[in-house]
């Protein structure tokens, strides 16, 4: 049985527009440096239709190759590879036994092709130092009873491809991984008539790809260990209702980020042997299904909806995690054999809000509970009733150190339910149709048996937020930089500007919500000015700010008010470019002395008045690079750096009720780094110059926004670092008049500020 043709010994063979028929092997390339290129050709053989051995290179384009395996002793492979390279495009390969078989080592690349039959890759177990075979399939279709099988370190990557397993027998899957790595990327689809992907050992990675099964689980892990990673919109759907099934002696580590899993996750049990199933959901991942015999399960910023009773060894939640114990159609129990932890996650219970024995979803913890959990309750047809012990939602057998807080309202009929922790040694949590403020016997008589002192979280008065708002407003009310006075080098000998701002932030673990606004007017004039644009001058400012601090827990609020004035000096040195007056380097400095009259008035309290004073200085530098433009204009990019310092006189005020209010670490450095992009257009023969701009800045401060109330620190949730973007334009006329305007936005976690400014100048 001979070959129809071969390229060997470093030779090159090019074939095109042919029909090759062979009772034995079709075509072969063998040896390093040998290359066989085939285009627009059909190959039919009784043996291997194509063969690559000993480092040869095969290139196919527009080829149809098939082996019917009729030759005596033939393998019936469409393509057989033992060390070498194959590049296949726009082709169809099939074989009675295997469409493609790769052994030991080799590199296979397939694009825009159809593979009918098994793609089999196996590393050389006898020579572990040999690199395993690697295959990449792009925008292609693969189909077979089992479409892809990987063994002994082989690696397979599917990119935008379809892989279908047509076999319906037990244990058959579209992809089989035994000690290899399988990756599916860019909207690839793996579909199995029985199982999608089976793993006896190895790794599976799905990135923006989908796995779906027919009569079996979407994925299965055998007696070895499997690592499964889902990311970027990957999805897994079990046709028989099981997304992942792990054999009794197997181990599966499933990690899903920003992906969807539809179906149960099941660890099998056989005698004393139990599967190990670790599940980590994160970054908006979603699981709809039960977890049966789970090991370590974490939900971090993700969503899990139970469709049946579930049991795990350890369970944890973090971030914006959401766990729904059901959809209300039935009532489910999540059983945690070991410890339960949460860092701000949310549990959703479906409950018939009625008496103590009402039906409900449950959380049963066999170990300890810790951390904070939000609890939401959906009423399922309950008409409400007076409770005694309450409806038990959460059982804790170990140390009940976790804090469960009712999020939102739970109402049934005319009754409102609240979440209570059991007293004494009872660490369980109950829904009761009682007000949480009713006296506890332990509060009345702490010497009663089983009473443990509890320090409830204090409810804060809103006045500290108003003091914080006054301090924050005074720190920034008169903060003026070079471009705030000069409007992009369209400077005048005399100038004036007015600005307004609205901001919002929270304080003290977000218990206080603070909103405010401010306005300021600054007028200045140069006392010296050089032809280069260097100048020195004086400025005076006046402004006010108002704020409202609200505590949503009590509904009380306090209003803050600041009125202030500042007197300052400034100086600028410019190294003006000879090519354009807008280009070049500048250094600018300013120093101000400010005083403020402050007022805080809380609901039902006498108004408080106090004064404060501060020094503020800043140094700024920048360089405007010309980026090009026409004779009547140009474009400039200007990096900037500003560093300043606030120094406050001692801030101390005693309220009418005797509370001592002091500032804490209000002194400190502040800084800004940014880029400013501007363009200059000259109209009417320089009768007017217009300069629009956009800018982006990074702001940082070392000063604390804190006050102390009788020594207790109250701090504002204003980040030390925040981003700012701004835009605006200026215009200067030949008669010396100029005007400018702009808007800006500062944003960071828990803080925002929006401001606008208008200005005018005059030169002579």
């Amino acid at each position: 049985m001979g070959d129809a043709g071969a390229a060997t010994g470093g030779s090159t063979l090019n074939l095109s527009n042919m029909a090759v028929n062979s009772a034995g092997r079709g075509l072969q390339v063998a040896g390093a440096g040998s290359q066989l290129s085939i285009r627009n050709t059909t190959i039919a053989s009784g043996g291997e239709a194509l063969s690559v051995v000993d480092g040869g290179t095969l290139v196919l384009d527009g080829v149809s190759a098939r082996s019917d395996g009729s030759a005596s002793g033939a393998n019936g492979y469409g393509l057989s590879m033992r060390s070498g390279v194959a590049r296949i495009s726009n082709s169809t390969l099939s074989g009675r036994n295997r469409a493609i078989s790769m052994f030991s080592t080799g590199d296979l690349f397939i694009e825009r092709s159809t593979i009918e039959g098994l793609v089999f890759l196996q590393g050389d177990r006898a020579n572990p130092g040999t690199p395993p075979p690697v295959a990449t399939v792009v925008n292609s279709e693969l189909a077979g009873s089992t479409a892809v099988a990987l063994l002994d370190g082989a690696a397979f990557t599917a990119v935008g491809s379809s892989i279908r397993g047509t076999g319906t027998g037990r244990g058959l899957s579209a992809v089989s991984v035994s000690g290899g790595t399988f990756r599916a990327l860019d909207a690839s689809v793996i579909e199995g008539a029985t199982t999608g992907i089976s793993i006896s050992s190895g790794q599976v990675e799905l990135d923006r790809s989908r796995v779906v099964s027919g009569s079996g689980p979407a994925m299965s892990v055998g007696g070895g260990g499997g690592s499964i990673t889902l990311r970027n919109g990957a999805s897994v759907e079990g046709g028989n209702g099981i997304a992942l099934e792990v054999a009794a002696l197997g181990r599966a580590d499933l990690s899903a980020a920003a992906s969807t899993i539809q179906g149960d996750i099941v660890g099998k049990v056989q005698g004393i042997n139990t599967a190990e199933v670790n599940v980590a959901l994160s970054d908006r991942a979603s699981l709809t299904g039960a977890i049966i015999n789970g090991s370590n399960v974490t939900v971090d910023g993700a969503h899990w909806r139970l469709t049946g009773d579930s049991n795990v060894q350890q369970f944890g939640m973090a971030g914006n995690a959401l766990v729904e114990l059901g959809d209300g159609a039935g009532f489910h129990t999540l059983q945690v054999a070991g410890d339960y932890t949460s860092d701000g996650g949310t549990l959703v219970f479906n409950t018939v809000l009625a008496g103590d024995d009402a039906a409900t979803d449950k959380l049963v913890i066999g170990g300890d509970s810790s951390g904070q959990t939000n609890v939401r309750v959906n009423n399922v047809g309950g008409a409400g009733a007076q409770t005694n012990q309450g409806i038990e939602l959460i059982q804790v057998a170990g140390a009940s150190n976790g804090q469960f807080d009712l999020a939102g309202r739970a109402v049934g009929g005319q009754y409102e339910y609240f979440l209570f922790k059991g007293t004494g040694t009872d660490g369980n949590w109950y829904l009761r149709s009682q007000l949480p403020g009713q006296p506890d016997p332990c509060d009345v008589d702490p010497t009663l048996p089983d009473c443990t002192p509890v320090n409830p979280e204090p409810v804060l008065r809103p006045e500290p937020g108003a003091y914080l708002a006054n301090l924050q407003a005074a720190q920034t009310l008169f903060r003026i930089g070079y471009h705030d006075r000069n409007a992009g080098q369209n400077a005048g000998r005399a100038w004036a500007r007015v600005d307004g701002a609205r901001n919002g932030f929270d304080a003290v673990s977000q218990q206080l919500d603070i909103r405010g606004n401010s306005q300021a007017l600054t007028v200045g004039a140069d006392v010296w000015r050089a032809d280069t644009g260097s100048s020195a001058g004086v400025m005076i400012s006046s402004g006010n700010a108002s704020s409202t601090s609200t505590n949503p827990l009590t509904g009380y609020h306090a209003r803050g008010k600041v009125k202030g004035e500042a007197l300052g000096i400034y100086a600028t040195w410019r190294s003006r470019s000879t090519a354009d007056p807008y280009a070049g380097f500048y250094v600018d400095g300013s120093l101000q002395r400010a005083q403020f009259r402050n007022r805080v008035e809380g609901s039902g309290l006498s108004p408080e008045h106090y004064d404060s004073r501060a020094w503020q200085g800043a140094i700024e530098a920048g360089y405007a690079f010309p980026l090009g433009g026409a004779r009547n204009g140009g474009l400039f990019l200007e990096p900037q750096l500003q560093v300043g310092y606030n120094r406050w006189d001692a801030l101390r005020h005693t309220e009418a009720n005797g509370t001592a209010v002091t500032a804490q670490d209000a002194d400190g450095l502040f800084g800004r780094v940014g880029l400013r992009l501007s363009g200059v257009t000259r109209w009417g023969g320089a009768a007017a110059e217009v300069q629009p701009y956009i800018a982006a800045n990074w702001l940082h401060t070392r000063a604390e926004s804190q006050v102390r109330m009788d020594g207790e620190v109250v701090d504002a949730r204003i980040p030390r670092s925040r981003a700012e973007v701004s835009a605006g334009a200026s215009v200067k006329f030949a008669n010396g008049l100029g005007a400018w305007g702009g808007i800006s936005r500062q944003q960071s976690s828990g803080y925002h500020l929006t401001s606008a400014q208008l200005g005018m100048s005059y030169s002579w």
Side-chain angles (χ1 to χ4, degrees):
M1 182 179 66
D3 299 339
T8 61
S11 64
T12 299
L13 178 61
N14 298 316
L15 302 176
S16 63
N17 300 305
M18 297 180 64
V20 178
N21 293 283
S22 173
R25 179 185 292 144
L27 300 169
Q28 184 183 63
V29 58
S34 301
Q35 179 168 315
L36 174 60
S37 298
I38 310 173
R39 289 176 173 79
N40 304 321
T41 294
T42 61
I43 303 170
S45 68
E48 299 166 348
L50 295 162
S51 175
V52 180
V53 295
D54 299 333
T57 299
L58 173 67
V59 178
L60 304 182
D61 188 357
V63 172
S64 175
R66 173 174 174 76
S67 171
D68 61 15
S70 60
S72 175
N75 290 323
Y77 299 163
L79 168 63
S80 175
M81 296 183 64
R82 285 175 173 263
S83 176
V85 176
R87 298 288 183 264
I88 301 170
S89 59
N90 307 306
S91 299
T92 300
L93 273 67
S94 62
R96 190 183 70 178
N97 295 327
R98 297 174 185 172
I100 299 174
S101 179
M102 297 181 68
F103 178 73
S104 182
T105 189
D107 189 347
L108 171 64
F109 180 83
I110 302 173
E111 62 178 347
R112 300 184 302 278
S113 296
T114 300
I115 311 300
E116 300 172 350
L118 173 63
V119 177
F120 181 90
L121 282 71
Q122 183 176 14
D124 191 346
R125 186 183 303 176
N127 297 288
T130 302
V134 176
T136 302
V137 177
V138 180
N139 298 330
S140 298
E141 295 184 2
L142 287 71
S145 181
T146 292
V148 177
L150 308 177
L151 288 80
D152 301 331
F156 185 100
T157 300
V159 182
S161 296
S162 170
I163 301 175
R164 291 188 301 111
T166 59
T168 56
R170 183 176 179 180
L172 291 176
S173 58
V175 176
S176 174
V177 181
S178 299
T181 299
F182 176 82
R183 298 182 179 89
L185 315 176
D186 294 343
S188 293
V189 177
I190 298 92
E191 182 177 0
T194 304
T195 298
I197 301 175
S198 63
I199 310 167
S200 58
S201 63
Q203 301 178 5
V204 170
E205 299 178 14
L206 303 178
D207 191 315
R208 203 163 61 86
S209 296
R210 178 171 178 250
V211 176
V212 61
S213 64
S215 60
M219 298 183 293
S220 66
V221 176
S227 171
I228 303 169
T229 302
L230 314 179
R231 62 172 72 93
N232 296 328
S235 66
V236 175
E237 182 176 348
N240 68 343
I242 299 177
L244 172 63
E245 184 177 84
V246 185
L249 292 174
R251 169 182 173 140
D253 296 310
L254 171 62
S255 173
S259 298
T260 302
I261 303 171
Q262 188 79 31
D264 297 343
I265 297 175
V266 179
K268 305 290 283 185
V269 177
Q270 185 176 9
I272 62 173
N273 298 317
T274 303
E276 181 177 350
V277 185
N278 300 311
V279 180
L281 306 176
S282 63
D283 190 21
R284 307 179 311 282
S286 173
L287 166 62
T288 303
I291 298 180
I292 301 171
N293 299 323
S295 299
N296 188 5
V297 176
T298 60
V299 182
D300 186 352
H303 176 211
W304 175 23
R305 172 179 283 183
L306 279 69
T307 58
D309 292 343
S310 298
N311 62 299
V312 303
Q313 291 298 314
Q314 305 286 336
F315 184 77
M317 288 196 296
N320 295 319
L322 175 64
V323 176
E324 298 180 90
L325 298 184
D327 58 5
F331 300 102
H332 305 140
T333 297
L334 172 58
Q335 186 166 356
V336 181
D339 295 338
Y340 168 98
T341 61
S342 175
D343 183 12
T346 298
L347 289 172
V348 180
F349 293 79
N350 296 287
T351 303
V352 178
L353 290 176
D356 290 0
D357 58 352
T360 182
D361 294 330
K362 282 191 175 183
L363 170 64
V364 178
I365 303 170
D368 302 338
S369 69
S370 62
Q372 187 273 335
T373 304
N374 300 307
V375 174
R376 281 173 27 201
V377 177
N378 296 324
N379 184 20
V380 184
Q386 181 65 47
T387 59
N388 181 19
Q389 179 72 2
I391 304 169
E392 185 181 78
L393 296 186
I394 303 162
Q395 292 182 13
V396 183
S400 185
N401 298 321
Q403 177 65 38
F404 294 86
D405 298 314
L406 187 63
R409 301 173 67 191
V411 295
Q414 63 177 335
Y415 293 88
E416 183 127 24
Y417 289 74
F418 298 91
L419 190 61
F420 288 78
K421 183 179 181 180
T423 58
T425 59
D426 183 2
N428 301 337
W429 292 79
Y430 305 86
L431 281 175
R432 297 174 184 165
S433 53
Q434 302 170 11
L435 286 174
Q438 293 178 352
D440 189 316
C442 290
D443 294 334
V444 177
D445 185 2
T447 64
L448 290 174
D450 298 326
C451 284
T452 302
V454 176
N455 296 319
E457 181 182 0
V459 177
L460 300 174
R461 46 186 288 218
E463 287 76 19
Y467 285 107
L468 284 171
N470 285 356
L471 175 60
Q472 194 272 337
Q475 286 175 327
T476 59
L477 192 61
F478 302 134
R479 191 168 292 176
I480 300 174
Y482 171 74
H483 283 292
D484 296 324
R485 301 192 318 268
N486 288 274
Q489 292 87 49
N490 276 337
R493 296 291 297 269
W495 52 272
R497 68 183 292 273
V498 61
D499 68 84
R502 299 180 66 88
N503 70 349
F505 58 94
D506 45 35
V508 197
S509 301
Q510 305 180 43
Q511 191 173 128
L512 301 182
D513 181 70
I514 302 164
R515 296 288 183 268
N517 59 76
S518 63
Q519 305 82 35
L521 169 67
T522 303
V523 178
D526 295 347
V527 296
W528 169 81
R529 188 173 187 83
D531 292 338
T532 62
S534 299
S535 63
V538 297
M539 56 185 174
I540 187 170
S541 302
S542 177
N544 64 80
S546 59
S547 63
T548 300
S549 171
T550 304
N551 189 325
L553 300 178
T554 63
Y556 295 141
H557 66 271
R559 301 190 187 279
K561 186 75 173 178
V562 178
K563 292 184 178 180
E565 299 81 32
L567 179 65
I569 58 175
Y570 61 87
T572 304
W573 176 82
R574 284 195 57 83
S575 175
R576 179 171 290 181
S577 169
T578 57
D580 196 303
Y582 287 86
F585 182 75
Y586 75 87
V587 177
D588 181 81
S590 64
L591 179 66
Q592 298 181 82
R593 174 64 169 174
Q595 62 179 14
F596 303 94
R597 298 175 301 281
N598 305 271
R599 172 189 172 103
V600 171
E601 184 173 2
S603 301
L605 299 179
S606 300
E608 303 289 340
H609 300 271
Y610 61 99
D611 295 333
S612 56
R613 296 174 179 82
W615 288 95
Q616 177 177 274
I619 297 176
E620 179 179 347
Y623 192 98
F625 294 92
L627 301 181
R631 287 182 55 188
N632 62 343
L635 192 65
F636 303 89
L637 181 65
E638 182 179 294
Q640 303 168 355
L641 172 66
Q642 183 188 52
V643 178
Y645 187 82
N646 275 328
R647 183 184 181 279
W648 292 81
D649 293 352
L651 294 176
R652 182 177 180 87
H653 171 69
T654 301
E655 293 184 324
N657 59 20
T659 300
V661 182
T662 58
Q664 173 70 15
D665 296 330
D667 299 345
L669 290 168
F670 61 89
R672 172 176 59 87
V673 177
L675 283 174
R676 189 176 193 270
L677 180 65
S678 62
V680 176
T681 301
R682 297 177 175 90
W683 291 348
E689 295 180 350
V690 179
Q691 186 180 25
Y693 73 91
I694 57 173
N697 295 291
W698 177 77
L699 311 177
H700 185 76
T701 180
R702 302 302 299 173
E704 298 282 1
S705 291
Q706 293 182 344
V707 297
R708 287 181 178 267
M709 309 287 288
D710 279 341
E712 293 289 332
V713 174
V714 181
D715 62 340
R717 193 165 171 260
I718 300 176
R720 288 183 179 272
S721 299
R722 51 191 185 268
E724 179 188 66
V725 293
S726 61
S730 63
V731 59
K732 182 177 181 181
F733 299 97
N735 61 7
L737 287 174
W740 69 89
I743 58 174
S744 67
R745 172 77 174 184
Q746 294 181 24
Q747 187 77 44
S748 190
S749 175
Y751 176 83
H752 64 85
L753 181 144
T754 304
S755 63
Q757 64 168 287
L758 293 172
M760 297 184 64
S761 65
Y762 182 71
S763 296
W764 61 89

